[in-house]
């Protein structure tokens, strides 16, 4: 802007200067031409008086310099001509001579073809009727300009330098208040009243922008607060597949970091399947894919963002479906295991019943076959009961029965009910500890203690022992079940709580286990927000510890 003002001022100054010089030269030309005519007239009058007094003698030795002097008789005869050239026309036809004969004095100016110049003429009539005429070369603009070239050049150069300096100073002075305007407070320093409407408009726009910026910031904060708390990943891309927004969950899932906006999603994430679903969104279609990453399974759902019938980007939502997939897998395995577990006793019952119904069993063997049928039926009943218990736990059916529960008292009842079974296996039961009260479900607490204790009996050694102990530890109640049994190998410790999982299947069948006891323990413990830990050495025994919070509020609701 400063340069533009500088050039404008300099151009105006130069234009004014050149116009002034042109006007001055024009005025000077008129002035000099008038002086030339007056001077020629004076010379003509003096010459006429001299010729009238002296006659032809006046011309003897006369030096006329650049002027031409001609004496013309009354009849048009040229009596004297200082140029010594004959005129092609009758001198009496010349305008100045006719005017002199008529009025006593005449003058004119015209182009002379003899010398190829503009000439001015002045003529005076003598008393005898003859005419004296003087002629001189007429001044021209070019002559004046050439004669004044040096001073004009000096004046123009000085004027240009002075104009440049002044224009630069004026331009800076004009622009300085504009450069110093505080756009955040445009009305605070308006030096030019002409700028007042503009500053008012800027102030109004500043207020609007501030309001819009605040609204956008508020919405952005609300959006970030909402998306950052989402467990699902959220990614928004533009039409060039560059990340516009990404929440914390998505950044953690993709290992990109939260500050990856502006990067191409396909460059930040190398999975080819992701590129495929982005390509599909460009056609306006919804697409989804499953990607396994970091031992987790994620479902990517991509939808196009359409504005004015144009695809301007995509929204990708990432779901962690690992638990769902595992749950489906567990359900399939559970169904297969249940079918298998029911199939064996049913075949045994069916076979025995068939033999009995066909009379193929000896009379003395009938009680044995009956006991076999009874045993397998009992095993099926236990299996069905355990399945029902698991279903109830999965559905949270026991949640309404929470009350203050004494774990030590329940442990005493469990030992009493399992004493006969323990004696059958030659196992001694012990109970230690103190009264421990928690807010729990008595039936499920009993299931936990009963199954842990029953397993400790079944997988023990002859003349072994099982010890149950309860104790308070601040806001926690600790239940431990310790046995002197066969122990659990380290590689199986993580799987023993799975449904139908058995370390020694032959031994499990001998003792009549269903394979669901520890699964019931795990689920019941979760419903009480309890933590289970296991310490076992093969051949020496196992110690299982369950830590119950005294005021559990059932923080677990997912289905195992």
């Amino acid at each position: 802007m400063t340069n533009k003002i500088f050039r404008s001022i300099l151009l105006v100054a130069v234009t004014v200067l050149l116009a002034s010089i042109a006007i001055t030269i024009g005025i000077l030309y008129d002035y000099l031409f008038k002086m030339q005519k007056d001077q020629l007239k004076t010379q003509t009058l003096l010459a006429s008086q001299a010729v009238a007094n002296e006659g032809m003698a006046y011309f003897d030795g006369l030096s006329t310099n650049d002027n031409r002097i001609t004496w013309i008789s009354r009849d048009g005869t040229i009596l004297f001509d200082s140029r010594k050239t004959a005129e092609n026309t009758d001198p009496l036809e010349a305008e100045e001579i006719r005017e002199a004969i008529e009025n006593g004095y005449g003058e004119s100016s015209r182009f002379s073809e003899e010398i190829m110049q503009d000439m001015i003429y002045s003529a005076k009539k003598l008393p005898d009727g003859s005419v004296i005429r003087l002629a001189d070369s007429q001044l021209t603009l070019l002559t004046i300009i050439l004669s004044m070239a040096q001073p004009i050049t000096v004046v123009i150069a000085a004027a240009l330098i002075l104009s440049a300096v002044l224009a630069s100073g004026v331009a800076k002075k004009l622009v300085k208040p504009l450069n110093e305007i505080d756009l955040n407070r445009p009305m605070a320093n308006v030096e030019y009243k002409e700028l007042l409407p503009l500053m008012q408009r800027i102030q109004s726009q500043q207020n609007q922008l501030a309001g819009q910026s605040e609204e956008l910031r508020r919405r952005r904060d609300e959006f970030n607060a909402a998306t950052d708390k989402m467990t699902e990943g959220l990614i928004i891309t533009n039409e060039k597949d560059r990340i516009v927004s990404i929440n914390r969950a998505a950044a953690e899932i993709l290992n990109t970091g939260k500050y990856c906006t502006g990067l191409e999603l396909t460059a930040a994430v190398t999975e080819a399947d992701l590129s495929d679903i982005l390509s599909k969104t460009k056609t306006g279609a919804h697409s989804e894919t499953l990607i396994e990453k970091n031992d987790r399974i994620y479902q990517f759902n991509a939808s196009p963002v359409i504005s004015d019938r144009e695809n301007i980007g995509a929204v990708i939502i990432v779901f962690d479906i690992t638990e769902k997939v595992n749950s489906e897998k567990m359900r399939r395995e559970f169904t297969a295991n249940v079918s298998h577990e029911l199939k064996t006793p049913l075949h045994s019952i069916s076979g025995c019943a068939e033999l009995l119904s066909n009379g193929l069993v000896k009379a003395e063997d009938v009680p044995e076959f009956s006991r076999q049928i009874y045993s397998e039926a009992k095993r099926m009943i236990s299996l069905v009961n355990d399945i029902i218990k698991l279903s109830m736990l999965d559905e949270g059916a026991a949640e309404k029965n929470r009350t203050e529960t004494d774990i030590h008292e329940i442990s005493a009842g469990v030992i009493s009910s399992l004493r006969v079974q323990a004696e059958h296996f030659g196992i001694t039961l012990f109970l230690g500890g103190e009264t421990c009260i928690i807010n729990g479900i008595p039936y499920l607490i009993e299931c936990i203690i009963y199954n842990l204790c029953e397993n400790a009996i079944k997988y023990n050694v002859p003349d072994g022992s099982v010890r149950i102990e309860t104790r308070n530890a601040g806001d926690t109640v600790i239940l431990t079940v310790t046995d002197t049994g066969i122990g659990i190998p380290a590689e199986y410790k993580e799987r023993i709580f799975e449904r139908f999982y058995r370390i020694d299947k032959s031994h499990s069948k001998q003792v009549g286990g269903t394979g669901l006891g520890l699964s019931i323990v795990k689920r019941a413990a979760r419903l009480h927000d309890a933590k289970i830990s296991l310490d076992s050495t093969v051949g020496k025994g196992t110690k299982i510890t369950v830590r119950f919070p005294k005021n559990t509020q059932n923080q677990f609701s997912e289905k195992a």
Side-chain angles (χ1 to χ4, degrees):
M1 184 176 180
T2 303
N3 292 334
K4 189 173 182 180
I5 294 176
F6 169 77
R7 288 194 298 269
S8 299
I9 295 175
L10 185 61
L11 179 61
V12 170
V14 171
T15 302
V16 171
L17 174 64
L18 294 178
S20 300
I21 291 175
I23 293 172
T24 301
I25 290 176
I27 294 173
L28 183 61
Y29 171 75
D30 290 340
Y31 174 73
L32 292 177
F33 180 61
K34 183 178 180 181
M35 286 186 62
Q36 185 183 21
K37 288 173 67 176
D38 291 344
Q39 185 179 5
L40 186 62
K41 180 179 180 180
T42 301
Q43 290 176 351
T44 300
L45 294 176
L46 292 175
S48 64
Q49 290 181 0
V51 171
N53 293 330
E54 300 179 16
M56 188 62 71
Y58 171 73
F59 300 105
D60 293 339
L62 178 66
S63 176
T64 59
N65 297 325
D66 294 331
N67 293 340
R68 179 182 180 183
I69 183 168
T70 306
W71 189 12
I72 303 168
S73 66
R74 189 172 183 178
D75 59 2
T77 302
I78 297 176
L79 302 176
F80 178 80
D81 191 347
S82 60
R83 189 159 290 180
K84 307 298 184 184
T85 58
E87 293 193 12
N88 297 326
T89 59
D90 184 2
L92 295 179
E93 294 181 358
E95 181 183 352
E96 68 279 0
I97 292 177
R98 291 199 312 269
E99 187 177 350
I101 292 173
E102 293 176 0
N103 302 321
Y105 177 78
E107 59 183 23
S108 68
S109 59
R110 63 180 175 274
F111 180 76
S112 174
E113 295 181 355
E114 297 176 15
I115 59 175
M116 304 301 291
Q117 276 187 319
D118 288 326
M119 302 293 289
I120 58 174
Y121 298 92
S122 176
K124 176 63 177 175
K125 182 180 178 181
L126 301 181
D128 60 0
S130 62
V131 177
I132 289 294
R133 183 183 66 181
L134 268 70
D136 193 7
S137 299
Q138 182 178 343
L139 288 173
T140 63
L141 284 173
L142 181 60
T143 304
I144 296 174
I145 291 172
L146 291 175
S147 63
M148 299 179 65
Q150 184 175 357
I152 288 176
T153 302
V154 173
V155 169
I156 290 176
L160 286 175
I161 294 173
L162 182 60
S163 297
V165 173
L166 292 176
S168 177
V170 171
K172 291 179 180 178
K173 186 176 180 180
L174 288 173
V175 173
K176 184 179 179 182
L178 299 178
N179 291 334
E180 292 178 350
I181 290 177
D182 184 1
L183 293 179
N184 294 323
R185 297 182 300 118
M187 300 301 296
N189 50 359
V190 181
E191 185 168 333
Y192 301 122
K193 64 180 182 179
E194 292 82 3
L195 293 177
L196 186 59
L198 175 61
M199 294 299 103
Q200 290 174 340
R201 182 69 177 271
I202 292 176
Q203 181 69 59
S204 175
Q205 291 180 345
Q206 288 280 26
N207 294 337
Q208 293 178 3
L209 289 174
Q212 293 173 357
S213 177
E214 178 63 24
E215 178 67 16
L216 287 174
R217 185 194 64 77
R218 185 182 62 79
R219 291 186 178 182
R220 182 197 62 202
D221 291 344
E222 290 176 353
F223 178 78
N224 290 339
T227 56
D228 282 346
K229 292 180 180 179
M230 291 173 58
T231 56
E232 298 82 7
L234 177 65
I235 307 168
I236 302 175
T237 63
N238 60 14
E239 69 280 2
K240 296 181 180 179
D241 295 338
R242 294 187 179 275
I243 299 173
V244 176
S245 177
I246 183 170
N247 71 344
R248 176 189 52 79
E252 291 176 356
I253 292 170
L254 301 178
N255 295 326
T256 60
K258 189 173 180 180
Y259 303 101
C260 60
T261 13
L263 296 178
E264 286 190 23
L265 182 59
T266 51
V269 184
T270 57
E271 278 74 6
D273 292 339
L274 201 54
S275 301
D276 293 340
I277 65 172
L278 282 175
S279 300
K280 291 179 182 177
T281 59
K282 294 185 184 302
T283 64
H286 172 83
S287 59
E288 61 182 45
T289 187
L290 297 181
I291 295 177
E292 189 170 350
K293 193 175 181 68
N294 301 327
D295 299 325
R296 307 290 292 178
I297 301 172
Y298 299 99
Q299 179 176 320
F300 286 74
N301 292 352
S303 300
V305 178
I306 308 297
S307 177
D308 296 331
R309 298 183 180 180
E310 291 187 4
N311 191 328
I312 61 172
V315 175
I316 303 171
I317 301 179
V318 187
F319 298 96
D320 185 349
I321 61 171
T322 308
E323 298 299 332
K324 179 182 177 182
V325 171
N326 291 340
S327 178
E328 292 295 331
K329 181 180 178 182
M330 288 178 63
R331 282 189 175 90
R332 289 193 297 270
E333 291 178 352
F334 180 72
T335 303
N337 288 332
V338 168
S339 301
H340 177 74
E341 293 293 332
L342 289 175
K343 179 179 169 183
T344 302
L346 281 173
H347 279 177
S348 179
I349 293 172
S350 176
C352 291
E354 184 179 4
L355 291 174
L356 288 172
S357 65
N358 291 330
L360 300 177
V361 180
K362 295 179 181 180
E364 61 270 20
D365 293 332
V366 170
E368 180 62 28
F369 275 82
S370 298
R371 281 194 298 270
Q372 180 69 21
I373 293 173
Y374 174 74
S375 176
E376 295 297 341
K378 187 177 179 182
R379 181 182 170 196
M380 287 181 61
I381 292 172
S382 297
L383 179 60
V384 171
N385 286 334
D386 284 348
I387 292 172
I388 292 173
K389 288 178 184 177
L390 277 175
S391 298
M392 291 175 63
L393 293 175
D394 286 342
E395 298 300 328
E399 282 306 303
K400 298 180 180 179
N401 300 321
R402 288 184 178 272
T403 185
E404 289 190 356
T405 305
D406 185 351
I407 292 182
H408 188 79
E409 182 180 345
I410 292 177
S411 299
V414 168
I415 287 181
S416 177
S417 63
L418 287 174
R419 191 171 300 278
V420 173
Q421 184 177 356
E423 291 175 354
H424 174 73
F425 287 99
I427 306 300
T428 304
L429 300 179
F430 297 96
L431 175 62
E434 58 187 341
T435 299
C436 299
I437 306 297
I438 69 166
N439 179 26
I441 306 167
Y443 168 71
L444 295 184
I445 299 297
E446 183 179 359
C447 282
I448 292 173
I449 301 172
Y450 187 92
N451 280 286
L452 291 178
C453 191
E454 185 180 38
N455 274 8
I457 293 171
K458 290 178 179 179
Y459 295 93
N460 215 313
V461 295
D463 298 326
S465 65
V466 175
R467 181 177 183 83
I468 303 176
E469 186 171 353
T470 60
R471 60 188 177 90
N472 293 292
D475 293 333
T476 305
V477 170
I478 300 176
L479 166 70
T480 59
V481 178
T482 309
D483 65 61
T484 58
I486 60 176
I488 302 171
E491 62 268 25
Y492 299 129
K493 289 181 179 179
E494 296 297 326
R495 301 196 61 186
I496 63 170
F497 291 95
E498 295 179 8
R499 299 176 183 183
F500 295 110
Y501 187 80
R502 299 183 180 92
I503 298 174
D504 186 350
K505 296 185 179 180
S506 61
H507 184 75
S508 297
K509 289 183 179 179
Q510 291 174 6
V511 298
T514 64
L516 295 176
L518 291 182
S519 295
I520 295 173
V521 169
K522 177 182 176 182
R523 187 58 188 169
R526 281 194 174 188
L527 288 173
H528 286 84
D529 199 10
K531 307 297 181 183
I532 302 176
S533 60
L534 184 146
D535 182 17
S536 182
T537 304
V538 176
K540 292 186 178 181
T542 300
K543 178 181 179 181
I544 296 179
T545 304
V546 185
R547 292 176 171 81
F548 295 91
K550 290 185 177 181
N551 296 311
T552 178
Q553 296 297 324
N554 182 26
Q555 298 175 10
F556 291 90
S557 60
E558 77 274 17
K559 296 180 181 180

